[in-house]
Amino acid sequence: MNKAYILSLDQGTTSSRAIIYDHEGKAQAIAQKEYQQFFPKPAWVEHDPMEIWSSQMAVATEVIAKMGIKAKSIAALGITNQRETVVLWNRKTGKPIYKAIVWQDRRTAHHCKSLMDAGYASAIKQKTGLEIDPYFSATKIKWILDEVKEARALANKGHLAFGTIDSWLVWNLTSGKKHWTDVTNASRTMLFNINTLEWDDELLDLFDIPKSILPEVGSNSELVGHTSNQTLKASIPIAGVAGDQQAALFGQMCVEKGMVKNTYGTGCFLMMNTGGKVVQSQHKLLSTIAWQLGEKTTYALEGSVFTGGAVVQWLRDGLQLIKHASDSEALARSVSDNGGLYFIPAFTGLGAPHWKPEARAMIYGLSRGTTHAHIARAALESIAYQSYDVIKAMEQDTHVRIDHLKVDGGASANNFLMQFQSDVLQENVQRPAILETTSLGAAYFAGLTVGFWNDIHDIANQWTLEKEFKPETKKQVTEHLIKNWHQVIKKAF
Ligand code: ADP
């Protein structure tokens, strides 16, 4: 095969990465570059779109050079990206009119509060599957339109373009030929109706956003365009695009209804495949599009835990209890139980299923016998309890019993945590050999389009288990722990 590789671009919140995959779905080379974070005011987070683009190009070029291959031996290019982050640019010059406002940015909290007070929550949830929150793109787009002087005038002339990061990359990769996004990224803007798969005119009116700035929307696995000669010096088909969590769900091959993955990174990102139907959550989970393949749309329920692995960072940097994140495992194992200690890591509030932005962190149950090992153990256990709460909410919303959990992300390397997760869930936890599920998912979407892989069956057997954790603690014991956790977490509200 002379076109033996897929190039996957993974544009994350702190770094841009490029990975080359072979036909077996093995990563052959990786390049990564961190880029600058801007915090101009408290709770504001911005990126420079030009740096996002240049860092992404730099790693793409680097990874191709590392492999010692020609760009033309790449069968297709896939893109996955940080979701919700917005860029507005001038179509004539290709230059952004403001920095990218990042998903973490809370500057539009007031606006969101006024929308909630005005009673829009349930209509917005019904159309978009989302809770009203600054997290999503709509209020950020409106902020730029209102605050940047020339924005509305440019929009009136049809010269303004909006995009999430995938659109921004596609625009640049095609040298401005394509203004395009995929359904998963669109579904995070709060402007897209996930039932009809169209931009929603009523929401555009509500947010005062002109339709002319929006990209065309397509599926996750289709020929979007080709890289231009000015970019990768070859015409590579751009053939698969998806938001990061959706790409990870696909990379984990959670392709059947009821399958769930949890990514244990800074936060924990849980997603459940709910099949061909939108499930409206009764537990403040988000309903979202998992992917669209051909005419077939698959939906998902999503719940994000704000502080996951970050609690381990705090043990390391804040408390200086450990030197490396991985040291938390041996420290937690050095005691036989939590000693009655519960750690609610609500440093930045609590995410799903609680949505309590004003909650604050606490350690509860300190006694004279408490040691640093108990604190480390309670911290790791808190990651599992929070994930448990989201999974139970998913089960209640779907009436589907989750019988195993697929895991990835940095903290999934922690065997104590994975075992404890299996114990509290009383279900098996499966850690795959390949933890690069996000970029792999994008590679799969791209490869399917160009016939690099024929169909899902062709790739499903590439998912291989590295380690499976089975419940080892009796249900009565863990039920007692979970009951205590729920009593304590309420105190943090
Ligand atoms: P992100 O993509 O959000 O930056 P990663 O998937 O790279 O996150 O995971 C990094 C997070 O995982 C950090 O918060 C770190 O504290 C935590 N982490 C990494 N290794 C371990 C470990 N062995 N045990 C517990 N936590 C870990």
Side-chain angles (χ1 to χ4, degrees), residues 14 263-267 269 308-310 312-313 316 325-326 328-329 380 409-411 413-414 417:
T14 55
T263 302
Y264 298 79
T266 308
F269 298 94
V312 179
Q313 279 170 8
R316 187 192 62 191
S326 55
S328 60
E329 181 170 343
L380 289 176
N414 191 306
L417 171 60

Side-chain angles (χ1 to χ4, degrees), residues 18 23 25 35 38 53 63 111 154 177 201 221 224 257 270 282 300 339 395 414 431 447 481 490:
H23 198 257
Y35 62 92
F38 298 90
W53 166 239
V63 81
H111 182 193
L154 277 174
K177 280 212 182 74
D201 290 325
S221 192
V224 179
K257 187 174 156 183
L270 291 110
Q282 304 302 316
E395 286 186 338
N414 191 306
R431 188 169 64 199
L481 294 172
K490 288 204 182 81

Side-chain angles (χ1 to χ4, degrees), residues 22 39 90 95 187 258 274 299 416 489:
D22 66 12
F39 307 106
N90 181 329
K95 294 279 180 289
S187 76
T274 61
Y299 292 91
F416 169 83
I489 199 170

